[in-house]
Amino acid sequence: MDDILEANMGLVISIVNRFNPKNTTEREDYIQAGRIGLWKAIDKFCEDRGTKFSPYAWNPIRWEIIKEIRSSMKHKHSSLNTENEEEGGSYTPSDSFWEIVPSDLSTDEREVVRLRLEGYNFKEISESLDLNRSSIKKLFNNAVKKIRDNNAQ
């Protein structure tokens, strides 16, 4: 199995390069995620189906990298907050945003906006607030409209 992993690392690298990692740390994270996808592809691949391995492995590798990107985006804000706290300040990137939010937003609208700013998608927000996705989208769109209207004045 290690031979197959090493033989197909070029495929992982070529897929990683398509995502244009910003630095070496991000690149290494993507490569590790790609290795996981490659391992999953090796585990599920069936030679009897008449397909070649590399086209088969493309999607599992790609999806693992996408999951890594989404995960890193969710945790991006928390790392910024940690750095600011170490410097002695209590400023968070979203403080200035909340100053321009109109006071007429409902509690649910505020919560949906807060969760979206933290990187959660509508599905995750709907699960945490126990509402369906269309309601979450409606709350978010209403909040955005109120914010735009408030700032246009």
Side-chain angles (χ1 to χ4, degrees):
M1 185 176 219
D2 288 336
D3 294 340
I4 298 172
L5 274 170
E6 291 306 315
N8 287 286
M9 278 307 293
L11 176 62
V12 172
I13 301 298
S14 69
I15 296 171
V16 165
N17 289 337
R18 290 174 183 257
F19 286 96
N20 298 321
K22 295 175 187 155
N23 53 45
T24 55
T25 305
E26 194 171 86
R27 180 179 169 77
E28 291 299 318
D29 289 343
Y30 293 179
I31 290 172
Q32 288 303 316
R35 285 179 70 103
I36 293 168
L38 179 59
W39 182 82
K40 288 180 178 180
I42 291 169
D43 191 44
K44 292 184 178 184
F45 181 67
C46 179
E47 292 179 27
D48 299 337
R49 294 187 182 185
T51 60
K52 291 187 176 186
F53 179 72
S54 59
Y56 176 82
W58 180 271
N59 279 332
I61 294 168
R62 191 171 154 269
W63 280 110
E64 285 299 321
I65 295 169
I66 290 170
K67 285 180 5 184
E68 172 62 30
I69 292 169
R70 286 181 179 163
S71 174
S72 67
M73 288 176 66
K74 284 182 186 176
H75 301 295
K76 184 185 271 186
H77 293 295
S78 63
S79 65
L80 289 174
N81 292 340
T82 306
E83 290 171 12
N84 289 329
E85 289 171 11
E86 289 172 3
E87 295 172 3
S90 61
Y91 174 79
T92 59
S94 59
D95 282 347
S96 59
F97 173 79
W98 289 111
E99 292 173 6
I100 62 169
V101 171
S103 57
D104 62 335
L105 286 183
S106 71
T107 307
D108 286 340
E109 288 170 338
R110 281 183 177 275
E111 186 64 11
V112 169
V113 169
R114 183 185 68 78
L115 291 170
R116 285 293 290 164
L117 285 172
E118 290 178 7
Y120 292 95
N121 62 34
F122 289 127
K123 181 181 179 188
E124 294 165 331
I125 296 170
S126 69
E127 290 169 357
S128 70
L129 296 180
D130 199 28
L131 295 169
N132 62 35
R133 266 192 252 179
S134 62
S135 297
I136 297 299
K137 286 180 184 177
K138 192 173 190 178
L139 286 168
F140 182 74
N141 289 335
N142 287 341
V144 168
K145 184 180 182 319
K146 288 178 184 178
I147 292 167
R148 283 185 180 151
D149 290 348
N150 188 53
N151 291 328
Q153 295 174 353

